[in-house]
Amino acid sequence: MSNDKPILELQGINKSFGPVQVLRAVDFNVYAGKVTALIGDNGAGKSTLVKCIAGVHPTDSGEVRFNGQSVSIHGPKDASELGIEIVYQDLALCENLDVVQNMFLGRERLKHGLLDGSSMEQAARDTLASLSVRTLKSVRQQVMSLSGGQRQTVAIARAVLWNSKVIILDEPTAALGVAQTAQVLELVRNLANQGVGVVLISHNMNEILQVADRVSAMYLGQVAADIEVTESTTRETLVELITSGRSGDVGLITNDAEEEVTA
Amino acid sequence: MTDTTTEVLADFALDTTAKSLGDVVSDAKARFKSGNLGSLPSVLAIITLVAIFGYANPDAFLTTSNLANLMGQASAVIVIAMAVTFVLLLGEIDLAAGFTAGVAATVMATRLADGWPLWQALAISALVAIALGMFTGYMVAKVGIPSFVVTLANFLSFQGILLLLVKDKGTLRVQSTPVKALVGGNLSPTLSWLLVAVGLTLFAWSLWRTMANSYGAVPRSLVLIKLGGAAAAAIMVTLLLNENRAFEKAKEQGTVIDGIPYVVPAIMVLLVLLTFLLTRTQYGRHLMAVGGNPEAARRAGINVQRIRLTAFGLCGLIAGIGGIFLASFVDSVDPNTGANDTLLLAVGAAVIGGTSLFGGKGRVLNAVLGGIVLALIPNGLPLVGQRSPFGIIDIDFSSSGVKFICAGLALLAASSVDALSRKGA
Ligand SMILES: Nc1ncnc2c1ncn2[C@@H]1O[C@H](COP(=O)(O)OP(=O)(O)OP(=O)(O)O)[C@@H](O)[C@H]1O
Ligand SMILES: [Mg+2]
């Protein structure tokens, strides 16, 4: 199946914040119906890559293809129009708005030019129910009053609401308890089984080996390896890729990344 | 709800479980406990002030003519407070809104003096007010200067514009009967009753709508209590205001002053329209979102700059309308129209009503409640007169010093509530 065309294809993406180059010639592929894990140490550039895909940060150079077509994403609207949804690490919810208002933010349903509250509320409830969310008692609660896990749920539901083609989750389980983590992972798997291209960013190797079909490992702003997860893929391989950008015969060949950083 | 039922509740049970009145009350209590006081402090302040002034000087304070006066005195500050609410919701400020009002009023007065028809004078004054607001918005949203600095600068330059417009005339009389009547004129008793009927019908309709869409979370008893309370208050006030409130001497000469002041329907229309804009339109929703978390709004595809720009434009327009109230109150404009403490009282009114200075939290209604509090203080204090409250010192409560100190303390108290509720959250 790995010879399938990727639904989202990034090639040679470069991104700097002032003098600091955060992404170097990054190639990254997302496949429909598969979970692609994106791993890397703190500051490797994972969140930045996601924000570039989302159109939150403009890229310096590089190409993005969606369904084989070259596209340019200049803002969050462009990304969502393509069917790309992101659940950010810093969830980016409006605490002063309620669950429904957050889920529909920027894409409100209107009736006669006015907000259609009841229809949005019903749709929000249906989506949350389809994710078998057990923890939310009211969709009219302000996000301010929700726990971390509940906020995570709302953020994911917000992405799922739009029948998206690609959903990117930036460390969705980092703040969750055991039961909720299992629930989110199951959800991730379900989304992929429904044909969505899912990207999962995580620091938890067990989690990745459990749900991911492929792994892209980032090391100091570069993609060190892009591998398929098989029976023989081990925790140790992944950890090596994260910490040194290399494991056995996969990974970065040269060491210049490190040299450039120290220079 | 008790703890045992919470456990067996299914998903979103709170949305679909019918609530009793008791549940609603305990929900409200829980909200207050968590520091989210909403409009409660301003409502309590109104009750307390009325009780104190009513006790201190019932003959002067608790009269229908004073009630009508109070409405006129509060009106301009309330409207300008509505204006600044829209920028406060973004966590911004407009220190020049008072002078925007002054300039708009003066533009209208000069046009009227030149013999322009009223609607043209009003239209040009509205355009000027919007332009002043958009200018501020451009500086804040596009150039990126903090609104505090931009509007501090505008505080000076708009005052300059006002002085240039008034020129050496000093005072310019407003030559338009409808404008003069806006603050000070009254509906006829019959129209007053019609207003009450229309107002209560609309209120009942909106309550019914909320209840119908709430899946039982808003119990019928609550709706009936709200509607009954509003009806009782409106009918009582109308009965009082429909009495002739001219002074005894004037009454003997046949003078009749009665009916609900025009400012009441005027403020109500603004309140309903602006509340509608804020809560039922996409623009209002996006404005709240930008105020709550600009980054989240941006990622949701909202054009944050456009919201900032237009919010200042809207603030300008509403402040301009406030200027007409200012001009109508004294039937003239001068270099002090919208100057002095106008802006401070307007911002104070919004904050006292429960609108946050930190953005994302507030309602248009808060401007009305806070405006009433701040109008009650200068209205009631002079009637208290010279007293020695603790038998130690003599205080002249009618002095401006005491008035300013009390208004300042009220604002400080309100912003403490705001700051503490954020800390507690
Ligand atoms: N807006 C910004 N301006 C300047 N530098 C930034 C910005 N955003 C991120 N960076 C820098 O880019 C680098 C990559 O950050 P990024 O958030 O992408 O890392 P990450 O791989 O997501 O790490 P983590 O696992 O901690 O979430 C870091 O060195 C960070 O300091
Ligand atoms: Mg990150």
Short mmCIF file of all heavy atoms in Angstrom, two decimals, chain B residues 91-154:
data_model
loop_
_atom_site.label_atom_id
_atom_site.label_comp_id
_atom_site.label_asym_id
_atom_site.label_seq_id
_atom_site.Cartn_x
_atom_site.Cartn_y
_atom_site.Cartn_z
N GLY B 91 -10.42 44.08 24.22
CA GLY B 91 -9.30 44.36 25.11
C GLY B 91 -8.60 45.67 24.74
O GLY B 91 -7.47 45.90 25.12
N GLU B 92 -9.28 46.51 23.96
CA GLU B 92 -8.71 47.80 23.55
C GLU B 92 -9.43 48.90 24.32
O GLU B 92 -10.35 48.63 25.09
CB GLU B 92 -8.91 48.03 22.05
CG GLU B 92 -8.45 46.90 21.16
CD GLU B 92 -6.95 46.92 20.90
OE1 GLU B 92 -6.29 47.90 21.31
OE2 GLU B 92 -6.44 45.97 20.29
N ILE B 93 -9.03 50.16 24.09
CA ILE B 93 -9.69 51.28 24.75
C ILE B 93 -9.80 52.42 23.75
O ILE B 93 -9.01 52.50 22.81
CB ILE B 93 -8.89 51.72 26.01
CG1 ILE B 93 -9.62 52.79 26.82
CG2 ILE B 93 -7.51 52.26 25.61
CD1 ILE B 93 -10.28 52.24 28.03
N ASP B 94 -10.80 53.28 23.92
CA ASP B 94 -10.87 54.49 23.11
C ASP B 94 -11.02 55.69 24.04
O ASP B 94 -12.11 56.01 24.49
CB ASP B 94 -12.04 54.42 22.12
CG ASP B 94 -12.03 55.62 21.17
OD1 ASP B 94 -11.20 56.53 21.39
OD2 ASP B 94 -12.82 55.63 20.22
N LEU B 95 -9.88 56.32 24.34
CA LEU B 95 -9.90 57.47 25.25
C LEU B 95 -10.47 58.70 24.57
O LEU B 95 -10.79 59.69 25.22
CB LEU B 95 -8.48 57.77 25.73
CG LEU B 95 -7.81 56.66 26.54
CD1 LEU B 95 -6.35 57.01 26.81
CD2 LEU B 95 -8.54 56.45 27.85
N ALA B 96 -10.60 58.66 23.24
CA ALA B 96 -11.06 59.84 22.50
C ALA B 96 -12.55 59.78 22.19
O ALA B 96 -13.07 60.67 21.52
CB ALA B 96 -10.25 60.01 21.22
N ALA B 97 -13.24 58.74 22.68
CA ALA B 97 -14.66 58.58 22.32
C ALA B 97 -15.49 59.79 22.76
O ALA B 97 -16.43 60.18 22.08
CB ALA B 97 -15.21 57.30 22.93
N GLY B 98 -15.12 60.39 23.90
CA GLY B 98 -15.85 61.57 24.37
C GLY B 98 -15.76 62.70 23.36
O GLY B 98 -16.77 63.34 23.02
N PHE B 99 -14.55 62.93 22.84
CA PHE B 99 -14.39 64.01 21.86
C PHE B 99 -14.97 63.64 20.51
O PHE B 99 -15.38 64.52 19.75
CB PHE B 99 -12.93 64.44 21.76
CG PHE B 99 -12.53 65.33 22.91
CD1 PHE B 99 -11.59 64.93 23.83
CD2 PHE B 99 -13.14 66.57 23.07
CE1 PHE B 99 -11.25 65.74 24.90
CE2 PHE B 99 -12.80 67.39 24.14
CZ PHE B 99 -11.86 66.97 25.06
N THR B 100 -14.97 62.33 20.19
CA THR B 100 -15.66 61.91 18.97
C THR B 100 -17.12 62.35 19.06
O THR B 100 -17.70 62.89 18.11
CB THR B 100 -15.59 60.38 18.80
OG1 THR B 100 -14.23 59.98 18.87
CG2 THR B 100 -16.19 59.94 17.47
N ALA B 101 -17.73 62.12 20.25
CA ALA B 101 -19.10 62.54 20.48
C ALA B 101 -19.23 64.05 20.33
O ALA B 101 -20.15 64.55 19.66
CB ALA B 101 -19.55 62.10 21.88
N GLY B 102 -18.29 64.78 20.92
CA GLY B 102 -18.32 66.24 20.86
C GLY B 102 -18.22 66.74 19.42
O GLY B 102 -18.98 67.63 19.00
N VAL B 103 -17.29 66.16 18.66
CA VAL B 103 -17.11 66.59 17.27
C VAL B 103 -18.38 66.29 16.47
O VAL B 103 -18.88 67.14 15.72
CB VAL B 103 -15.88 65.90 16.64
CG1 VAL B 103 -15.85 66.14 15.14
CG2 VAL B 103 -14.59 66.41 17.29
N ALA B 104 -18.93 65.07 16.65
CA ALA B 104 -20.13 64.70 15.89
C ALA B 104 -21.27 65.66 16.22
O ALA B 104 -22.00 66.11 15.33
CB ALA B 104 -20.52 63.26 16.22
N ALA B 105 -21.44 65.98 17.50
CA ALA B 105 -22.52 66.88 17.91
C ALA B 105 -22.32 68.25 17.28
O ALA B 105 -23.28 68.89 16.82
CB ALA B 105 -22.54 66.99 19.44
N THR B 106 -21.07 68.70 17.27
CA THR B 106 -20.80 70.03 16.74
C THR B 106 -20.99 70.08 15.22
O THR B 106 -21.51 71.06 14.68
CB THR B 106 -19.37 70.47 17.11
OG1 THR B 106 -19.19 70.25 18.51
CG2 THR B 106 -19.16 71.93 16.81
N VAL B 107 -20.57 69.00 14.54
CA VAL B 107 -20.79 68.94 13.09
C VAL B 107 -22.29 69.06 12.82
O VAL B 107 -22.73 69.85 11.98
CB VAL B 107 -20.25 67.62 12.51
CG1 VAL B 107 -20.77 67.40 11.09
CG2 VAL B 107 -18.73 67.63 12.50
N MET B 108 -23.08 68.33 13.59
CA MET B 108 -24.53 68.40 13.40
C MET B 108 -25.04 69.82 13.67
O MET B 108 -25.81 70.38 12.86
CB MET B 108 -25.22 67.41 14.34
CG MET B 108 -26.74 67.46 14.28
SD MET B 108 -27.51 66.69 15.72
CE MET B 108 -26.98 67.79 17.02
N ALA B 109 -24.58 70.41 14.76
CA ALA B 109 -25.08 71.74 15.14
C ALA B 109 -24.71 72.79 14.09
O ALA B 109 -25.52 73.66 13.74
CB ALA B 109 -24.53 72.13 16.51
N THR B 110 -23.48 72.73 13.57
CA THR B 110 -23.08 73.72 12.56
C THR B 110 -23.88 73.54 11.28
O THR B 110 -24.27 74.52 10.65
CB THR B 110 -21.58 73.62 12.23
OG1 THR B 110 -21.29 72.29 11.81
CG2 THR B 110 -20.72 73.96 13.43
N ARG B 111 -24.12 72.28 10.89
CA ARG B 111 -24.91 72.05 9.67
C ARG B 111 -26.33 72.59 9.85
O ARG B 111 -26.89 73.21 8.96
CB ARG B 111 -24.98 70.56 9.33
CG ARG B 111 -23.69 69.86 8.89
CD ARG B 111 -22.98 70.58 7.78
NE ARG B 111 -22.08 71.59 8.31
CZ ARG B 111 -21.77 72.71 7.70
NH1 ARG B 111 -22.32 73.00 6.54
NH2 ARG B 111 -20.92 73.56 8.23
N LEU B 112 -26.90 72.32 11.05
CA LEU B 112 -28.26 72.81 11.31
C LEU B 112 -28.27 74.34 11.26
O LEU B 112 -29.20 74.96 10.72
CB LEU B 112 -28.76 72.31 12.66
CG LEU B 112 -29.09 70.81 12.74
CD1 LEU B 112 -29.37 70.41 14.18
CD2 LEU B 112 -30.28 70.48 11.85
N ALA B 113 -27.21 74.93 11.82
CA ALA B 113 -27.12 76.39 11.83
C ALA B 113 -27.05 76.93 10.41
O ALA B 113 -27.53 78.03 10.13
CB ALA B 113 -25.90 76.83 12.64
N ASP B 114 -26.46 76.12 9.50
CA ASP B 114 -26.40 76.55 8.11
C ASP B 114 -27.68 76.24 7.35
O ASP B 114 -27.73 76.37 6.12
CB ASP B 114 -25.23 75.85 7.39
CG ASP B 114 -23.92 76.55 7.68
OD1 ASP B 114 -23.95 77.53 8.46
OD2 ASP B 114 -22.88 76.11 7.16
N GLY B 115 -28.67 75.75 8.06
CA GLY B 115 -29.97 75.53 7.45
C GLY B 115 -30.12 74.19 6.74
O GLY B 115 -31.07 73.99 5.98
N TRP B 116 -29.19 73.23 6.99
CA TRP B 116 -29.34 71.90 6.41
C TRP B 116 -30.55 71.21 7.02
O TRP B 116 -30.87 71.43 8.18
CB TRP B 116 -28.11 71.04 6.68
CG TRP B 116 -26.90 71.38 5.88
CD1 TRP B 116 -26.51 72.62 5.45
CD2 TRP B 116 -25.89 70.47 5.45
NE1 TRP B 116 -25.34 72.54 4.77
CE2 TRP B 116 -24.92 71.23 4.75
CE3 TRP B 116 -25.71 69.09 5.58
CZ2 TRP B 116 -23.79 70.65 4.19
CZ3 TRP B 116 -24.58 68.52 5.02
CH2 TRP B 116 -23.64 69.30 4.32
N PRO B 117 -31.22 70.33 6.26
CA PRO B 117 -32.28 69.52 6.86
C PRO B 117 -31.68 68.59 7.90
O PRO B 117 -30.50 68.21 7.80
CB PRO B 117 -32.85 68.72 5.70
CG PRO B 117 -32.16 69.19 4.47
CD PRO B 117 -31.03 70.06 4.83
N LEU B 118 -32.51 68.19 8.87
CA LEU B 118 -32.01 67.40 10.00
C LEU B 118 -31.34 66.12 9.54
O LEU B 118 -30.24 65.78 9.99
CB LEU B 118 -33.17 67.08 10.95
CG LEU B 118 -32.78 66.22 12.15
CD1 LEU B 118 -31.73 66.90 13.00
CD2 LEU B 118 -34.01 65.88 12.99
N TRP B 119 -31.99 65.40 8.60
CA TRP B 119 -31.41 64.09 8.25
C TRP B 119 -30.05 64.22 7.61
O TRP B 119 -29.16 63.41 7.84
CB TRP B 119 -32.38 63.28 7.37
CG TRP B 119 -32.49 63.77 5.95
CD1 TRP B 119 -33.39 64.65 5.45
CD2 TRP B 119 -31.67 63.37 4.84
NE1 TRP B 119 -33.18 64.84 4.11
CE2 TRP B 119 -32.14 64.07 3.71
CE3 TRP B 119 -30.59 62.48 4.70
CZ2 TRP B 119 -31.56 63.92 2.46
CZ3 TRP B 119 -30.02 62.33 3.44
CH2 TRP B 119 -30.50 63.05 2.33
N GLN B 120 -29.85 65.30 6.85
CA GLN B 120 -28.53 65.51 6.24
C GLN B 120 -27.49 65.86 7.29
O GLN B 120 -26.36 65.38 7.25
CB GLN B 120 -28.61 66.61 5.19
CG GLN B 120 -29.23 66.12 3.90
CD GLN B 120 -29.31 67.22 2.85
OE1 GLN B 120 -28.75 68.30 3.03
NE2 GLN B 120 -30.01 66.95 1.77
N ALA B 121 -27.90 66.69 8.25
CA ALA B 121 -26.98 67.06 9.33
C ALA B 121 -26.59 65.82 10.12
O ALA B 121 -25.42 65.63 10.48
CB ALA B 121 -27.63 68.09 10.24
N LEU B 122 -27.57 64.95 10.38
CA LEU B 122 -27.29 63.72 11.14
C LEU B 122 -26.40 62.79 10.33
O LEU B 122 -25.47 62.19 10.86
CB LEU B 122 -28.60 63.00 11.50
CG LEU B 122 -29.45 63.66 12.58
CD1 LEU B 122 -30.75 62.89 12.78
CD2 LEU B 122 -28.68 63.77 13.89
N ALA B 123 -26.67 62.67 9.02
CA ALA B 123 -25.90 61.76 8.19
C ALA B 123 -24.44 62.19 8.14
O ALA B 123 -23.53 61.37 8.31
CB ALA B 123 -26.48 61.70 6.78
N ILE B 124 -24.19 63.48 7.95
CA ILE B 124 -22.80 63.93 7.83
C ILE B 124 -22.09 63.77 9.17
O ILE B 124 -20.92 63.40 9.24
CB ILE B 124 -22.71 65.39 7.30
CG1 ILE B 124 -21.28 65.73 6.89
CG2 ILE B 124 -23.18 66.42 8.29
CD1 ILE B 124 -20.93 65.21 5.54
N SER B 125 -22.84 64.00 10.26
CA SER B 125 -22.21 63.86 11.58
C SER B 125 -21.89 62.39 11.85
O SER B 125 -20.84 62.07 12.40
CB SER B 125 -23.11 64.48 12.65
OG SER B 125 -23.48 63.56 13.62
N ALA B 126 -22.76 61.48 11.38
CA ALA B 126 -22.47 60.05 11.54
C ALA B 126 -21.24 59.66 10.73
O ALA B 126 -20.37 58.92 11.19
CB ALA B 126 -23.68 59.22 11.12
N LEU B 127 -21.15 60.18 9.50
CA LEU B 127 -20.00 59.85 8.66
C LEU B 127 -18.69 60.33 9.29
O LEU B 127 -17.69 59.62 9.29
CB LEU B 127 -20.17 60.49 7.26
CG LEU B 127 -21.18 59.80 6.36
CD1 LEU B 127 -21.28 60.52 5.02
CD2 LEU B 127 -20.77 58.33 6.15
N VAL B 128 -18.74 61.55 9.84
CA VAL B 128 -17.54 62.08 10.50
C VAL B 128 -17.16 61.18 11.68
O VAL B 128 -15.99 60.83 11.86
CB VAL B 128 -17.77 63.54 10.95
CG1 VAL B 128 -16.65 64.00 11.88
CG2 VAL B 128 -17.87 64.46 9.75
N ALA B 129 -18.17 60.79 12.46
CA ALA B 129 -17.90 59.94 13.64
C ALA B 129 -17.28 58.61 13.21
O ALA B 129 -16.31 58.13 13.82
CB ALA B 129 -19.19 59.71 14.42
N ILE B 130 -17.82 58.01 12.14
CA ILE B 130 -17.27 56.74 11.66
C ILE B 130 -15.83 56.95 11.19
O ILE B 130 -14.94 56.16 11.50
CB ILE B 130 -18.12 56.17 10.51
CG1 ILE B 130 -19.51 55.77 11.03
CG2 ILE B 130 -17.44 54.98 9.87
CD1 ILE B 130 -20.48 55.36 9.93
N ALA B 131 -15.60 58.04 10.47
CA ALA B 131 -14.26 58.30 9.94
C ALA B 131 -13.26 58.44 11.08
O ALA B 131 -12.16 57.89 11.02
CB ALA B 131 -14.28 59.56 9.08
N LEU B 132 -13.64 59.17 12.14
CA LEU B 132 -12.72 59.33 13.27
C LEU B 132 -12.41 57.96 13.89
O LEU B 132 -11.27 57.65 14.21
CB LEU B 132 -13.33 60.27 14.32
CG LEU B 132 -13.51 61.73 13.91
CD1 LEU B 132 -14.14 62.53 15.05
CD2 LEU B 132 -12.18 62.35 13.51
N GLY B 133 -13.46 57.12 14.04
CA GLY B 133 -13.27 55.80 14.62
C GLY B 133 -12.40 54.92 13.73
O GLY B 133 -11.50 54.23 14.22
N MET B 134 -12.64 54.96 12.43
CA MET B 134 -11.86 54.14 11.50
C MET B 134 -10.39 54.58 11.49
O MET B 134 -9.50 53.75 11.33
CB MET B 134 -12.42 54.25 10.08
CG MET B 134 -13.81 53.67 9.92
SD MET B 134 -13.84 51.89 10.07
CE MET B 134 -13.98 51.45 8.37
N PHE B 135 -10.18 55.88 11.64
CA PHE B 135 -8.81 56.37 11.70
C PHE B 135 -8.09 55.73 12.87
O PHE B 135 -6.98 55.19 12.74
CB PHE B 135 -8.81 57.90 11.82
CG PHE B 135 -7.45 58.49 12.09
CD1 PHE B 135 -6.49 58.51 11.10
CD2 PHE B 135 -7.15 58.99 13.35
CE1 PHE B 135 -5.23 59.04 11.36
CE2 PHE B 135 -5.89 59.52 13.61
CZ PHE B 135 -4.93 59.55 12.62
N THR B 136 -8.73 55.75 14.04
CA THR B 136 -8.15 55.09 15.20
C THR B 136 -7.93 53.61 14.90
O THR B 136 -6.86 53.06 15.18
CB THR B 136 -9.11 55.21 16.41
OG1 THR B 136 -9.45 56.58 16.60
CG2 THR B 136 -8.48 54.66 17.67
N GLY B 137 -8.95 52.97 14.33
CA GLY B 137 -8.86 51.54 14.03
C GLY B 137 -7.71 51.24 13.08
O GLY B 137 -7.00 50.25 13.26
N TYR B 138 -7.49 52.11 12.10
CA TYR B 138 -6.40 51.89 11.15
C TYR B 138 -5.06 51.94 11.87
O TYR B 138 -4.19 51.09 11.68
CB TYR B 138 -6.45 52.96 10.06
CG TYR B 138 -5.39 52.77 9.01
CD1 TYR B 138 -5.60 51.91 7.94
CD2 TYR B 138 -4.16 53.43 9.09
CE1 TYR B 138 -4.62 51.71 6.99
CE2 TYR B 138 -3.18 53.24 8.15
CZ TYR B 138 -3.41 52.38 7.09
OH TYR B 138 -2.43 52.18 6.16
N MET B 139 -4.92 52.93 12.74
CA MET B 139 -3.66 53.09 13.48
C MET B 139 -3.41 51.88 14.39
O MET B 139 -2.29 51.44 14.56
CB MET B 139 -3.71 54.37 14.33
CG MET B 139 -3.61 55.63 13.52
SD MET B 139 -2.00 55.66 12.72
CE MET B 139 -2.18 56.98 11.59
N VAL B 140 -4.48 51.36 14.96
CA VAL B 140 -4.34 50.23 15.89
C VAL B 140 -4.12 48.93 15.12
O VAL B 140 -3.17 48.19 15.36
CB VAL B 140 -5.58 50.10 16.80
CG1 VAL B 140 -5.50 48.84 17.65
CG2 VAL B 140 -5.72 51.32 17.69
N ALA B 141 -5.01 48.66 14.13
CA ALA B 141 -5.01 47.35 13.48
C ALA B 141 -3.92 47.24 12.42
O ALA B 141 -3.25 46.21 12.35
CB ALA B 141 -6.38 47.09 12.86
N LYS B 142 -3.74 48.26 11.62
CA LYS B 142 -2.80 48.14 10.49
C LYS B 142 -1.40 48.63 10.86
O LYS B 142 -0.42 48.01 10.53
CB LYS B 142 -3.31 48.93 9.28
CG LYS B 142 -4.70 48.54 8.84
CD LYS B 142 -4.71 47.36 7.89
CE LYS B 142 -6.14 47.01 7.55
NZ LYS B 142 -6.29 45.89 6.66
N VAL B 143 -1.34 49.79 11.53
CA VAL B 143 -0.02 50.31 11.88
C VAL B 143 0.51 49.59 13.12
O VAL B 143 1.72 49.41 13.27
CB VAL B 143 -0.08 51.84 12.10
CG1 VAL B 143 1.29 52.40 12.40
CG2 VAL B 143 -0.67 52.52 10.87
N GLY B 144 -0.39 49.16 13.99
CA GLY B 144 0.04 48.36 15.12
C GLY B 144 0.44 49.16 16.35
O GLY B 144 1.24 48.70 17.16
N ILE B 145 -0.10 50.36 16.51
CA ILE B 145 0.16 51.14 17.72
C ILE B 145 -0.87 50.75 18.78
O ILE B 145 -2.05 50.58 18.44
CB ILE B 145 0.05 52.65 17.44
CG1 ILE B 145 0.82 53.00 16.16
CG2 ILE B 145 0.55 53.47 18.61
CD1 ILE B 145 0.62 54.42 15.69
N PRO B 146 -0.47 50.59 20.04
CA PRO B 146 -1.46 50.26 21.07
C PRO B 146 -2.57 51.30 21.11
O PRO B 146 -2.31 52.50 20.97
CB PRO B 146 -0.67 50.28 22.37
CG PRO B 146 0.75 50.09 21.97
CD PRO B 146 0.89 50.66 20.59
N SER B 147 -3.81 50.84 21.30
CA SER B 147 -4.94 51.76 21.24
C SER B 147 -4.85 52.83 22.32
O SER B 147 -5.33 53.95 22.13
CB SER B 147 -6.24 50.99 21.36
OG SER B 147 -6.28 50.27 22.57
N PHE B 148 -4.23 52.48 23.44
CA PHE B 148 -4.10 53.48 24.51
C PHE B 148 -3.34 54.70 24.00
O PHE B 148 -3.75 55.84 24.23
CB PHE B 148 -3.35 52.85 25.70
CG PHE B 148 -3.15 53.78 26.85
CD1 PHE B 148 -4.18 54.01 27.75
CD2 PHE B 148 -1.95 54.46 27.02
CE1 PHE B 148 -4.00 54.89 28.81
CE2 PHE B 148 -1.78 55.34 28.06
CZ PHE B 148 -2.81 55.55 28.96
N VAL B 149 -2.26 54.45 23.25
CA VAL B 149 -1.43 55.55 22.75
C VAL B 149 -2.16 56.30 21.63
O VAL B 149 -2.22 57.53 21.63
CB VAL B 149 -0.08 55.01 22.25
CG1 VAL B 149 0.77 56.14 21.70
CG2 VAL B 149 0.64 54.27 23.36
N VAL B 150 -2.73 55.55 20.68
CA VAL B 150 -3.42 56.19 19.55
C VAL B 150 -4.52 57.10 20.06
O VAL B 150 -4.64 58.26 19.65
CB VAL B 150 -4.03 55.13 18.62
CG1 VAL B 150 -4.84 55.80 17.51
CG2 VAL B 150 -2.96 54.25 18.02
N THR B 151 -5.32 56.60 20.99
CA THR B 151 -6.49 57.38 21.41
C THR B 151 -6.10 58.47 22.39
O THR B 151 -6.82 59.45 22.54
CB THR B 151 -7.59 56.47 21.99
OG1 THR B 151 -7.09 55.77 23.12
CG2 THR B 151 -8.07 55.48 20.96
N LEU B 152 -4.95 58.32 23.05
CA LEU B 152 -4.43 59.42 23.87
C LEU B 152 -4.07 60.59 22.95
O LEU B 152 -4.38 61.75 23.23
CB LEU B 152 -3.21 58.95 24.65
CG LEU B 152 -2.74 59.81 25.82
CD1 LEU B 152 -3.85 59.95 26.85
CD2 LEU B 152 -1.51 59.20 26.46
N ALA B 153 -3.41 60.26 21.83
CA ALA B 153 -3.08 61.29 20.84
C ALA B 153 -4.36 61.90 20.27
O ALA B 153 -4.48 63.13 20.14
CB ALA B 153 -2.23 60.69 19.74
N ASN B 154 -5.32 61.03 19.95
CA ASN B 154 -6.58 61.52 19.38
C ASN B 154 -7.36 62.35 20.37
O ASN B 154 -8.12 63.25 19.99
CB ASN B 154 -7.44 60.35 18.91
CG ASN B 154 -6.87 59.70 17.67
OD1 ASN B 154 -5.92 60.22 17.07
ND2 ASN B 154 -7.42 58.57 17.29
#
